Amino acid sequence: MLKIAVVDDEHTVAAQTERCLTEACNELQLKAEINVFDSGEEVIRFLESKNVYHIIFLDIEMERCNGIDVSRYIRDMLQDETTQLVYVSGKNGYDRQLFEFRPFGFIEKPATTEKIREIWDGSAYLLLRQKMTITGRGFKT
């Protein structure tokens, strides 16, 4: 089962992203567990408890702990290069800041099922279709 997190401090945007992810997973016949977090701090607390996601859809601009802070925590503190990061934002201009975190993709708000399917096209889709199990801090195929 694919483990997905949505992190956005705007409730309506997070709910829309979750709906689109559910639709895309159903269309692509992917079984997924989707968790929604309304702050960067909340997802970091969850990750500190040894929880792991295959992919995180992450808002960039959030109060106090933004998407860049969360990315830095995942890549630098957890040393997790396996979790795929997809940034969801209504603003451009972050590409250089985000590049260091090796993102899987970028979706302009509002998220749509079509935009999510595009992220999973080609080899990315094949990667996500693999039967992955989570073991400790990493993934095992």
Side-chain angles (χ1 to χ4, degrees), residues 7-9 37-45 62 64-65:
V7 186
D8 200 309
D9 60 349
F37 300 92
D38 62 8
S39 71
E41 297 94 343
E42 186 181 10
V43 74
I44 284 175
R45 279 193 301 276
M62 294 182 284
R64 291 176 290 174
C65 182

Side-chain angles (χ1 to χ4, degrees), residues 42-86:
E42 186 181 10
V43 74
I44 284 175
R45 279 193 301 276
F46 195 76
L47 294 169
E48 285 174 339
S49 300
K50 306 290 185 217
N51 294 293
V52 183
Y53 288 100
H54 294 104
I55 188 164
I56 299 176
F57 287 79
L58 185 60
D59 184 17
I60 299 168
E61 292 186 348
M62 294 182 284
E63 291 187 30
R64 291 176 290 174
C65 182
N66 62 35
I68 293 171
D69 297 329
V70 173
S71 299
R72 186 171 290 114
Y73 177 80
I74 291 168
R75 295 295 191 239
D76 296 344
M77 298 298 293
L78 297 179
Q79 297 183 348
D80 179 351
E81 294 293 331
T82 307
T83 299
Q84 300 300 317
L85 303 174
V86 176

Side-chain angles (χ1 to χ4, degrees), residues 11-35:
H11 178 70
T12 55
V13 174
Q16 170 70 16
T17 303
E18 181 183 23
R19 274 191 303 278
C20 292
L21 281 164
T22 299
E23 288 174 15
C25 287
N26 289 341
E27 288 175 13
L28 298 170
Q29 298 178 1
L30 291 170
K31 291 184 181 182
E33 175 186 324
I34 303 170
N35 299 122

